[in-house]
């Protein structure tokens, strides 16, 4: 534009000095005035434009030299921090029981509500038990009848044992008679021999005429009488021995009867035991008419309601009970961390904390109770399980939670607030405040994040001041001003940072 004005002025000047035909002095004066006005206007416009451009450039340069960014800062500190492993966990019940009927019948009572917490042994359902009660009465009658049979067999045994004793006594008596007969035989045999000797001697005397015939015949008669008595004794002994043999047979028969009675008793007692088993089984069937909770837990939806007829061992449960106190959380860690877990487990049980994604400020404590015996080859992880009291009932089976396994504690670890760490093209970094109130971009290496603090393995040193808020307007060498709580409500550094690469910017550095 200035060049156009100059060209215009030059054009006007050139035209003004070209030789013209003689004109009147009045017209020449008017042209000179117009030319002077245009010339002054052009010079004035050029001066104003050049001055404005120079002023704007100077103002921008001065503002850049004097810009100060307000920030909040925090101190790099040292503290004892836990060494932890974090994973996504799944809440699972320690025990789940499907309540199914063990007897058939109609449901006549339901004594809980769906979703209710139940105790072990609490009555849940009752079935119509009239058929089981009748079966019990029948079984009891059978047992009573068979017990009477046992008593009858015992009475018969007692009677037959008496007969055995009587037969044994008769045998003993007859044995005595045999011995007495044998003694009589021996005595009469001696008398017979004596009488025979006298008969022979007196017969000889009769032959010599020393005695009379009557005397001789008397001794012969005595000898024959003794011989007859001897024969009678032998027959008495034979009869007594026959009786004795009969007594032995009677005793044997009585013993056999006793054994039969004992067998009958044993058989009757076996029948009683069988009947008692049947009675007990019927009582068990009756007990199935009342269904109790086998564990402490929380009842689910009632799937079969009152009035329905159910079948024994049906595949459709009446209700499911899930144990929620205590409860378990299963999570997996990389197999590379397994040696650490095994190492620190030797010192005792390890602590496991779980939090919900929307409430990480209130962890629920538990202990590690299970390490699986096999590494999952498809994922390269191993499953761990922690037990939790869950007294408040915050954990429900099937939930996903954030699980944190604490292995040990690391003393004197260097920590910085998590919001101080930023992501850049070259990795993570923080702005360290220098004594002249400028900042320096310092790369950092983070090992873990615990409760809003990043554990620094490499980077700033304890005692350094770092920027926690306002990093977006900073580059290395930027001047800063530390905000106070009166200047900014976030001066306490409570703002949170994301973990994505887009959540941390390098404050203008490329």
């Amino acid at each position: 534009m200035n060049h156009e004005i100059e060209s215009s002025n030059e054009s006007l000047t050139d035209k003004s000095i070209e030789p013209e035909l003689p004109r009147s002095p009045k017209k020449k004066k008017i042209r000179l005035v117009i030319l002077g006005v245009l010339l002054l206007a052009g010079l004035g416009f050029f001066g104003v434009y050049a001055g404005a451009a120079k002023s704007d450039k100077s103002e921008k340069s001065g503002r850049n030299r004097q810009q100060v960014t307000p920030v909040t800062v925090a101190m790099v500190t040292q503290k004892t921090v836990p060494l932890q492993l974090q994973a996504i966990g799944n809440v699972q019940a320690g025990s789940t029981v499907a309540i199914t009927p063990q007897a058939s019948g109609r449901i006549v009572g339901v004594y809980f509500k769906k979703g209710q917490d139940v105790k072990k042994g609490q009555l849940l359902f009752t079935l119509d038990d009239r058929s089981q009660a009748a079966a019990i009465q029948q079984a009891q009658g059978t047992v009573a009848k068979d017990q009477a049979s046992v008593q009858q067999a015992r009475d018969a045994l007692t009677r037959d044992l008496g007969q055995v004793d009587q037969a044994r006594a008769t045998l003993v008596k007859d044995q005595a008679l045999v011995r007495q007969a044998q003694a009589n035989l021996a005595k009469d045999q001696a008398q017979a021999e004596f009488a025979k000797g006298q008969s022979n001697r007196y017969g000889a005397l009769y032959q010599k005429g020393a005695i009379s015939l009557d005397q001789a015949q008397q001794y012969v008669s005595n000898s024959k009488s003794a011989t007859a008595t001897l024969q009678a004794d032998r027959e008495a002994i034979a009869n007594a021995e026959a009786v004795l043999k009969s007594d032995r047979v009677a005793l044997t028969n009585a013993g056999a009867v006793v054994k039969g009675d004992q067998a009958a008793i044993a058989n009757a007692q076996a029948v009683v035991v069988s009947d008692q088993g049947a009675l007990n089984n019927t009582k068990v069937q009756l007990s199935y008419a009342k269904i109790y909770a086998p564990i402490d837990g929380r009842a689910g939806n009632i799937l079969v309601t009152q009035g329905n007829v159910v079948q024994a061992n049906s595949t459709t449960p009446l209700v499911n009970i899930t144990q929620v106190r205590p409860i378990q959380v299963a999570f997996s860690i990389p197999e590379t961390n397994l040696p650490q877990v095994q190492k620190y487990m030797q010192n005792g049980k390890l602590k496991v904390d779980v939090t919900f994604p929307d409430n990480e400020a209130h962890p629920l404590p538990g202990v590690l109770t299970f390490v699986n015996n096999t590494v999952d080859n498809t994922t390269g992880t191993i499953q761990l399980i922690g037990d939790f009291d869950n007294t408040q009932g915050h954990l429900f089976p099937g939930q996903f939670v954030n699980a944190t396994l604490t292995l040990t504690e690391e003393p004197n670890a260097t920590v910085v607030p998590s919001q101080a760490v930023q992501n850049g093209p070259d990795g993570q970094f923080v702005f360290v405040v220098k004594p002249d109130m400028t900042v320096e971009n310092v790369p950092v290496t983070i090992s873990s994040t615990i409760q809003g603090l990043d554990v620094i393995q490499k980077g700033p040193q304890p005692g350094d001041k770092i920027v926690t808020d306002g990093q977006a307007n900073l580059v290395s060498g930027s001047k800063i001003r530390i905000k106070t709580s009166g200047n900014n409500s976030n001066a306490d550094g409570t703002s949170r940072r994301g973990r994505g690469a887009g959540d941390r910017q390098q404050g203008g550095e490329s």
Side-chain angles (χ1 to χ4, degrees):
M1 184 174 181
N2 294 335
H3 294 298
E4 292 176 359
I5 296 173
E6 291 176 355
S7 300
S8 178
N9 292 337
E10 290 176 359
S11 176
L12 293 174
T13 305
D14 293 339
K15 289 180 180 180
S16 63
I17 59 175
E18 288 180 357
E20 296 181 354
L21 294 175
R23 294 180 181 177
S24 63
K26 187 176 180 179
K27 291 183 178 180
K28 183 176 182 181
K29 184 177 181 181
I30 292 172
R31 289 178 179 176
L32 289 176
V33 171
I34 292 172
L35 180 61
V37 170
L38 293 176
L39 186 59
L40 289 174
L43 292 174
F45 178 80
F46 176 78
V48 171
Y49 178 80
K54 182 176 181 181
S55 174
D56 183 61
K57 184 177 180 180
S58 300
E59 182 179 353
K60 286 186 178 180
S61 176
R63 187 167 61 248
N64 288 337
R65 287 196 305 269
Q66 297 176 2
Q67 182 177 2
V68 177
T69 303
V71 297
T72 58
V73 298
M75 191 77 71
V76 180
T77 59
Q78 284 185 318
K79 63 182 300 184
T80 299
V81 296
L83 178 59
Q84 297 176 329
L85 300 176
Q86 296 181 338
I88 301 299
N90 180 247
V91 182
Q92 59 186 24
S95 177
T96 300
V97 179
I99 304 299
T100 55
Q102 294 177 276
S104 300
R106 183 171 59 87
I107 298 177
V108 295
V110 179
Y111 302 95
F112 69 102
K113 295 181 179 179
K114 61 182 71 175
Q116 175 184 336
D117 288 339
V118 297
K119 297 292 184 181
K120 182 179 181 180
Q122 179 178 335
L123 180 63
L124 303 178
F125 299 92
T126 54
L127 306 179
D128 186 358
D129 60 355
R130 289 176 295 178
S131 60
Q132 288 89 346
I136 286 179
Q137 291 179 348
Q138 182 179 1
Q140 287 174 337
T142 303
V143 169
K145 181 188 71 174
D146 292 335
Q147 285 177 338
S149 298
V150 170
Q151 186 60 44
Q152 184 178 0
R154 285 174 178 170
D155 293 340
L157 175 63
T158 300
R159 183 183 67 249
D160 292 337
L161 284 174
Q163 291 178 353
V164 167
D165 293 337
Q166 184 178 357
R168 189 176 288 114
T170 302
L171 176 63
V172 171
K173 181 186 71 172
D174 291 340
Q175 285 175 338
L177 293 175
V178 169
R179 287 192 296 271
Q180 183 179 0
Q182 289 174 343
N184 290 336
L185 176 62
K187 181 185 71 172
D188 291 341
Q189 188 173 3
Q191 289 178 352
E193 288 176 356
F194 178 74
K196 185 178 181 180
Q198 281 186 331
S199 176
N200 290 336
R201 187 169 59 251
Y202 281 99
L205 290 176
Y206 172 74
Q207 293 293 333
K208 293 178 179 181
I211 59 172
S212 65
L213 178 61
D214 292 336
Q215 289 178 326
Q217 288 179 345
Q218 182 179 358
Y219 284 105
V220 171
S221 177
N222 290 338
S223 176
K224 289 182 179 179
S225 176
T227 300
T229 300
L230 187 64
Q231 182 62 33
D233 290 339
R234 287 191 179 98
E235 290 178 357
I237 289 174
N239 291 334
E241 287 179 344
V243 172
L244 188 63
K245 184 177 180 181
S246 175
D247 291 341
R248 289 193 179 97
V249 171
L251 181 61
T252 301
N253 291 337
V257 171
V258 168
K259 289 182 178 179
D261 292 339
Q262 291 173 336
I265 290 175
N267 182 61
Q269 288 177 333
V271 172
V272 169
V273 171
S274 176
D275 293 340
Q276 189 65 48
L279 175 60
N280 293 337
N281 180 64
T282 306
K283 289 181 178 179
V284 171
Q285 295 299 319
L286 178 62
S287 69
Y288 292 157
K290 292 184 178 180
I291 302 174
Y292 299 90
I295 60 171
D296 293 341
R298 181 167 295 154
N301 190 21
I302 300 175
L303 304 177
V304 183
T305 56
Q306 183 173 348
N308 287 284
V309 176
V310 295
Q311 299 297 324
N313 302 316
S314 171
T315 57
T316 302
L318 305 180
V319 68
N320 291 316
I321 298 178
T322 302
Q323 184 182 41
V324 294
R325 298 183 184 89
I327 204 167
Q328 297 178 336
V329 174
F331 58 98
S332 298
I333 62 171
E335 60 180 316
T336 54
N337 296 126
L338 181 58
Q340 287 181 294
V341 174
Q342 293 176 317
K343 172 184 175 182
Y344 293 111
M345 281 185 67
Q346 296 177 356
N347 300 327
K349 291 186 177 180
L350 301 181
K351 181 182 178 183
V352 181
D353 294 312
V354 297
T355 57
F356 300 102
D358 58 346
N359 186 14
E360 297 185 358
H362 299 90
L364 302 178
V367 293
L368 181 67
T369 57
F370 173 77
V371 178
N372 206 346
N373 58 359
T374 305
V375 173
D376 188 343
N377 292 331
T378 59
T379 61
T381 60
I382 186 167
Q383 185 189 50
L384 309 180
I385 294 179
D387 283 356
F388 296 79
D389 293 335
N390 198 30
T391 54
Q392 301 299 322
H394 295 310
L395 296 175
F396 275 76
Q399 276 183 313
F400 285 96
V401 293
N402 298 321
T404 302
L405 174 63
T406 302
L407 302 177
T408 186
E409 290 187 341
E410 180 182 355
N412 299 323
T414 302
V415 296
V416 299
S418 297
Q419 62 267 28
V421 180
Q422 303 294 300
N423 288 324
D426 298 327
Q428 296 177 313
F429 66 94
V430 296
F431 285 111
V432 176
V433 180
K434 300 171 68 175
D436 60 355
M437 297 303 290
T438 60
V439 294
E440 179 184 2
N441 182 322
V442 177
V444 294
T445 301
I446 298 173
S447 62
S448 61
T449 300
I450 301 166
Q451 297 179 353
L453 297 175
D454 284 349
V455 180
I456 301 297
Q457 295 293 330
K458 181 180 179 182
Q461 299 301 313
D464 289 347
K465 288 183 179 180
I466 57 174
V467 177
T468 59
D469 185 47
Q471 299 98 321
N473 298 322
L474 298 180
V475 295
S476 288
S478 295
K479 294 284 289 184
I480 64 167
R481 172 176 58 83
I482 298 176
K483 295 188 291 186
T484 62
S485 57
N487 298 121
N488 192 297
S489 60
N490 291 330
D492 57 354
T494 58
S495 62
R496 305 292 296 175
R497 66 179 175 87
R499 271 299 181 190
D503 294 333
R504 288 175 177 166
Q505 299 179 352
Q506 198 174 359
E509 284 194 359
S510 59

